[in-house]
C-alpha cells in the first residue's frame, strides 16, 4: 500500500516555485484547461513561478473529460518540450492528462496502447523513470493527486478506460482549499459525488484477502487490491466529511469550512480507493460517459457534450448498492447511517434498500438529474451500455457480488429513473 | 506529509524472500535481537530467505533500548558487510538500529554526531542514497516501520535522543499479526502504551499552522509538523483501536483479533505521529529511560536494567494531559470519551482532569507500576530529569502549551505516584 505526499493548507500554492527550485527543475511544463487558465488557481501558480524565476511552458489545451486524441496532443507537447518537471493545475481532467504526458514523454518508443489497461490496451508495467509531477487539484472530486490512475475516453471504442500504474502517481499533491472558491455549484456537486462514490465503493469492495487469483509474486499485485483495514479508514473518514459538508459546499460558495473539508475529503477518498479500488458505479460509468449524446451540463464552460464523471458514477449508485448489499450488508447499513439514515429499527437484510433510499434522497435534495433517462438514455441503449461495461474488469471484478450481463442490464434499467 | 508503504496480513512475511529478489538484493543484512533470534518471527523470515535462495548475514546483537555504543556496533557490522538491502525483524530497538546501520554504512565518512538531532548532535540533512530496508515489526508499539526516526540512549549524556530524517524511513513495512502471538504480557502492555501516547500526543500536538518559525522553504520543514487534518485521522483511529483492543490483547495471548488490531494500530499511530510529532510524554520519557537505575521489568529477557519505552512515556501521561488540556480542551475531552469516560455532564474546563483520571484508571486496571517512584525515582532525581528533558526541544516544542523548567519539575513530581 503506497500513499502519496500531500501538502495541505490555505495558500500553500505560493511555495510551488520553491518546490520546483528544490527539484532542480529547469524546464517546467504547466498544464491546465482553457477555462482554468483565466481563474485564480492558475494565477496563484503563475505568480509563484514568476517570483522564483522558474522557466516554464504552459499547455492549456487539456480537454474536460479527456480522450485518446486529447491525451496524444498533450503527449506531443510534452515530448517536444523535453521538460524536467510537470505541474498540473486543475481537476481530474488536467491531472490525468499531465500524468499521461509525463509517462509517454519518458517512454518515447512506446505505442499509446502499451500502457493502457488490458484488455483494451496491453497493460505493460512501467519501467522507465518519470519526471517529477506536482498536482494542484482545483475540484474536490477525483483525488487524482494521490492516485496512479489516468482516465480517458477511447473515442473509437466509445468507452472510457485508463492507465493504472504506481509510476504515474504525482510526486506531490498541493491541497490548497483557496482553489475551491471559484468552483460553480454543479462542479462542486458532481465532483463531490465522485468523492461519495470513491468512499462507498472502496468501503464495499471485495476484501483484499478474498480477491483471486492471488498473484504469486507481490510485485504483480494490482494497484487496486480490494478493501482493507487501511483503505477502510480513509473511506469512512471521507464519507463522514461528505455527509457533513457536501451539501453546504454546494449551496454556499462562501462556506470556506465546507469547501476546505471537501477538498481534503477528495484526497482522503483518493488514498482509499487508490489502494482498494472502486467497483460497479465506476465500471458502469465509463460507458455512460463514453456514449454521451447531446447532454450539456450546467456550469461547465466547455463546447462539447459530456456527462461529468461524478454524475456518471452517482446515477447508478442506488441500484448498485441495492444489488451489492447482500454481501457485507453491515457495511452498507453503516454507510447509510453515516449519510443520515435512521437505522435504529432497520433489519440487516434491508441494508441495500436503506442505503439506496438514502442516496436517492441525498441526490433529490441536491436537484440531481432524475436518472439516466434525464441525461439522454433510454431502454434501447442498455445493450450498448452493458457492452461498454464488460471490458472494465479491472474494477467490476472488485464488486463484492459477481454480476452477469443480465445483472448489468437490470442495474442500468433500474437507474433510468431515480425519484 | 509522506506516508510509508506497508503490507498487511497474516503470513505475508513468507513473501519477503521474493521482495528481496524483486529488489535485486545480493547481500542482505538481517538484523534482530538475541531473544527474537530464537522465536517464530525470525524463523518465518529465515524460511523465506532460504526458499528464495537469498544470500544474507545475520546480526543479532541489537540491544533492547539501544545506546550509541550498540548503534556503533551494528554500524560497523553494516559497513563491513557491504550490504545492498536490510531486513529488520523486531521491535523498535531492532528497527531503529537497522535504520542507523543503513544510514552510516551509506555515508562512511560521516561522524556519528553528524546526523544526530540538534542540539545534541549536528542534525545534518541526509543527502546520500540509502539501501532498501524492509521492516518487520514484532511488537505493537513504536510504529517505527512507518517513521523516519531512530532513537538511542546517549550513554555519556544519560539521555535518549535520536536521528530524524525521511531518508531512513523503511522502504516497506511488513505488518504480519502472526508475529504478535509470541509476545509476553508486559511487552504487549508497554508497547501498547507507546501506541496510546503516540495517538494522544499527536492528536493534541500544536496545530501545524501555529508552529513557528515557519520555514521559509518547504524543504526545511521538520519531519514533525504539528497536528493536522491527516494525522488527526490516524491518531483518532489508533486511539479507538487501543480503547477497544489493548486490554484484550494484553490479557489473552490467544485473542488474535485483539492482537492483530493492536499491530495495525501501532502502524496507524506511527503514520500519525511520524507526520505530526509527539510532545511532552515523549520528551520527558527520554531522561526517564536514560537515567534508569536498577529497574528490571517483568517479561523482558535482557541482562541490563531498563525502563521500557512505552512505560517511560505512559507514566507521565496523566500529569501531562492535565497540564496541556487548557489548550484545545475539546480534543482532550474527546480522547477521554474514546477511552471510556462518560462525558455527558462534563464541563469543558475539566477536560484535563477527566482525561488524566481516565488514563489513571486505565493503567490501574492493567497493573501498571504506580508512577515514577515505583520504578526507582525520588524527588531528588527531579532536577536531573528536568535537565534531561530540556534538550528534547524537537518534541517538547510541539506541546500545545509551552513549559518552564518549573512546569517540568511539577509534571515529574505529579508523576511520582499515580493511584
Ligand atoms: N485519476 C483518477 O484517479 C480519477 C478518479 C476519478 C475521476 N477521474 C477523471 O477525472 C475527470 C473529471 O475530473 P473533475 O471531476 O475533477 O473535473 P474536470 O477536471 O473535468 O473539470 C470540470 C470542469 O470544472 C472546471 N473547473 C475545475 N476547477 C475549477 C475551479 N476551481 N473553478 C472553476 N472551474 C473549475 C474545469 O475548467 C472544467 O470545466 C474525468 O475524466 C474522470 O474520469 C480520474
Ligand atoms: N523509531 C520510532 O519511531 C520509535 C518510536 C517509539 C519508540 N522507539 C524506540 O523503540 C524502542 C522500543 O521498542 P519496542 O517497544 O518495540 O520494544 P523492543 O524492540 O525494545 O523489544 C522489547 C523486548 O520485546 C522482545 N520482543 C519483541 N517482539 C517480540 C515477540 N514478538 N515475541 C516475544 N518477544 C518479543 C524483544 O526481544 C525485547 O526483549 C525504544 O528504544 C524506543 O525509544 C522508536
Ligand atoms: Fe471517480
Ligand atoms: Fe514512542
Amino acid at each position: 500500500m503506497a500513499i502519496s505526499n500531500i501538502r495541505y493548507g490555505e495558500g500553500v500554492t505560493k511555495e510551488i516555485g520553491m518546490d520546483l527550485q528544490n527539484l532542480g527543475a529547469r524546464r517546467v511544463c504547466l498544464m491546465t484547461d482553457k477555462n482554468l487558465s483565466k481563474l485564480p488557481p492558475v494565477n496563484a501558480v503563475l505568480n509563484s513561478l514568476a517570483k522564483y524565476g522558474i522557466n516554464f511552458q504552459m499547455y492549456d489545451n487539456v480537454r474536460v473529460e479527456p480522450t485518446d486524441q486529447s491525451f496524444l496532443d498533450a503527449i506531443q507537447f510534452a515530448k517536444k518540450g523535453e521538460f524536467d518537471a510537470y505541474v498540473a493545475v486543475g481537476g481530474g481532467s488536467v491531472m490525468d492528462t499531465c500524468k499521461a504526458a509525463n509517462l509517454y514523454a519518458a517512454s518515447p518508443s512506446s505505442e499509446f496502447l502499451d500502457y493502457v489497461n488490458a484488455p483494451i490496451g496491453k497493460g505493460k508495467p512501467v519501467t522507465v523513470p518519470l519526471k517529477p509531477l506536482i498536482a494542484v487539484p482545483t475540484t474536490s472530486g477525483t483525488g487524482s493527486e494521490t492516485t496512479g490512475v489516468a482516465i480517458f475516453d477511447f473515442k473509437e471504442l466509445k468507452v472510457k478506460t485508463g492507465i493504472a500504474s504506481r509510476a504515474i502517481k504525482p510526486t506531490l499533491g498541493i491541497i490548497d482549499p483557496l482553489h475551491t472558491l471559484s468552483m460553480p455549484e454543479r462542479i462542486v456537486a458532481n465532483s463531490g459525488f465522485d468523492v461519495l462514490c470513491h468512499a462507498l465503493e472502496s468501503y464495499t469492495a471485495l476484501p483484499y484477502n478474498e480477491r483471486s487469483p492471488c498473484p504469486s509474486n507481490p510485485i504483480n499485485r494490482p494497484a487496486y487490491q480490494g478493501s482493507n483495514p487501511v483503505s477502510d479508514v480513509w473511506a469512512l473518514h471521507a464519507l463522514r466529511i461528505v455527509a457533513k459538508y457536501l451539501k453546504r459546499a454546494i449551496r454556499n460558495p462562501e462556506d470556506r469550512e465546507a469547501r476546505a473539508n471537501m477538498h481534503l475529503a477528495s484526497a482522503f477518498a483518493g488514498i482509499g480507493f487508490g489502494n482498494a479500488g472502486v467497483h460497479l458505479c465506476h465500471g458502469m460509468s465509463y460507458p455512460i460517459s463514453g456514449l454521451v449524446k447531446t447532454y450539456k451540463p450546467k456550469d461547465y464552460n466547455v463546447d462539447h457534450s459530456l456527462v461529468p464523471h461524478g454524475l456518471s458514477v452517482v446515477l447508478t449508485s442506488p441500484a448498485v448498492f441495492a444489488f451489492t448489499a447482500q454481501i457485507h450488508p453491515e457495511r452498507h447499513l453503516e454507510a447509510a447511517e453515516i449519510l443520515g439514515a435512521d437505522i435504529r429499527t432497520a433489519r440487516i437484510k434491508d441494508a441495500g434498500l436503506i442505503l439506496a433510499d438514502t442516496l436517492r434522497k441525498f441526490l433529490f435534495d441536491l436537484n440531481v438529474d432524475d436518472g439516466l433517462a434525464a441525461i439522454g438514455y433510454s431502454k434501447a441503449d442498455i445493450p450498448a451500455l452493458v457492452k461498454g461495461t464488460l471490458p472494465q474488469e479491472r474494477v467490476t471484478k472488485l464488486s463484492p457480488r459477481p454480476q452477469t450481463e443480465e445483472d448489468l442490464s437490470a442495474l442500468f434499467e433500474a437507474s433510468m429513473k431515480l425519484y
Side-chain angles (χ1 to χ4, degrees), chain A:
Chain A
M1 151 125 4
I3 303 177
S4 289
N5 288 329
I6 59 176
R7 183 183 306 148
Y8 171 76
E10 277 204 2
V12 287
T13 308
K14 66 173 181 290
E15 294 168 342
I16 197 167
M18 237 187 298
D19 290 315
L20 291 162
Q21 272 184 352
N22 294 339
L23 290 167
R26 298 174 170 280
R27 292 171 65 83
V28 173
C29 176
L30 170 62
M31 289 211 168
T32 190
D33 66 41
K34 277 267 159 25
N35 178 44
L36 275 160
S37 69
K38 289 157 252 143
L39 295 178
V42 170
N43 245 318
V45 170
L46 290 175
N47 286 339
S48 180
L49 297 185
K51 178 163 172 200
Y52 294 98
I54 302 294
N55 175 26
F56 73 97
Q57 287 178 39
M58 173 145 144
Y59 177 88
D60 66 2
N61 254 332
V62 166
R63 189 181 194 269
V64 177
E65 303 282 325
T67 61
D68 47 339
Q69 278 310 321
S70 79
F71 265 20
L72 285 168
D73 189 69
I75 290 165
Q76 206 188 354
F77 182 85
K79 282 184 172 169
K80 264 208 222 122
E82 298 185 349
F83 301 110
D84 55 11
Y86 293 81
V87 174
V89 188
S93 296
V94 172
M95 293 187 277
D96 288 8
T97 302
C98 196
K99 290 173 182 176
N102 186 7
L103 172 60
Y104 289 96
S107 188
S109 57
S110 297
E111 305 278 317
F112 183 64
L113 280 180
D114 282 356
Y115 295 124
V116 172
N117 294 325
I120 295 171
K122 297 194 189 138
K124 284 195 188 164
V126 178
T127 53
V128 294
L130 270 61
K131 302 295 182 196
L133 189 168
I134 302 183
V136 187
T138 63
T139 58
S140 301
T142 68
S144 180
E145 67 277 14
T146 70
T147 71
V149 176
I151 304 286
F152 66 96
D153 190 357
F154 207 147
K155 276 294 177 191
E156 211 176 298
L157 301 181
K158 291 204 170 192
V159 76
K160 280 180 119 181
T161 182
I163 300 164
S165 164
R166 292 183 186 87
I168 62 172
K169 186 180 288 201
T171 323
L172 173 67
I174 294 193
I175 315 223
D176 183 343
L178 290 181
H179 299 331
T180 63
L181 300 177
S182 54
M183 260 193 291
E185 188 193 284
R186 280 298 115 180
I187 296 182
V188 180
N190 289 328
S191 63
F193 298 148
D194 199 16
V195 181
L196 172 65
C197 288
H198 292 159
L200 288 173
E201 288 173 71
S202 58
Y203 192 56
T204 56
L206 195 69
Y208 74 105
N209 47 7
E210 293 175 18
R211 197 168 43 81
S212 66
C214 183
S216 57
N217 185 320
I219 211 174
N220 294 324
R221 292 229 171 104
Y224 288 176
Q225 309 188 2
S227 63
N228 61 69
V230 179
S231 62
D232 287 349
V233 178
W234 294 107
L236 283 181
H237 190 66
L239 192 62
R240 287 196 193 98
I241 301 181
V242 167
K244 182 160 178 195
Y245 290 113
L246 178 55
K247 287 186 186 172
R248 281 171 52 180
I250 292 172
R251 289 178 177 150
N252 181 2
E254 312 279 294
D255 189 337
R256 283 185 175 224
E257 182 192 345
R259 292 212 166 190
N261 272 287
M262 281 304 304
H263 208 40
L264 258 181
S266 157
F268 290 165
I271 299 175
F273 93 83
N275 286 292
V278 281
H279 56 85
L280 287 175
C281 301
H282 271 75
M284 294 167 63
S285 83
Y286 299 133
I288 295 174
S289 280
L291 295 168
V292 59
K293 299 176 177 179
T294 57
Y295 183 71
K296 289 210 174 172
K298 193 168 152 276
D299 286 348
Y300 285 69
N301 191 3
V302 292
D303 54 14
H304 53 278
S305 50
L306 70 106
V307 185
H309 172 69
L311 185 63
S312 73
V313 290
V314 89
L315 288 178
T316 60
S317 66
V320 162
F321 295 108
F323 173 78
T324 56
Q326 46 170 254
I327 320 289
H328 306 301
E330 69 297 341
R331 287 197 169 213
H332 289 71
L333 206 56
E334 184 183 1
E337 183 177 29
I338 292 173
L339 290 171
D342 179 350
I343 63 160
R344 279 171 302 177
T345 58
R347 288 174 307 183
I348 189 81
K349 72 178 183 50
D350 294 333
L353 293 176
I354 294 171
L355 179 53
D357 278 346
T358 309
L359 287 166
R360 262 189 290 266
K361 182 165 178 328
F362 197 86
L363 299 178
F364 181 81
D365 288 350
L366 290 167
N367 301 318
V368 173
D369 291 295
D370 186 7
L372 298 179
I375 61 166
Y377 290 105
S378 71
K379 259 184 123 162
D381 299 306
I382 292 181
L385 290 166
V386 171
K387 187 156 162 267
T389 308
L390 294 177
Q392 308 295 341
E393 288 202 344
R394 190 179 61 96
V395 291
T396 53
K397 277 202 155 180
L398 284 169
S399 164
R401 181 173 166 191
Q403 342 77 48
T404 61
E405 289 192 34
E406 290 69 45
D407 290 330
L408 290 173
S409 284
L411 290 171
F412 281 114
E413 184 157 356
S415 305
M416 285 291 163
K417 236 184 117 29
L418 297 182
Y419 315 126

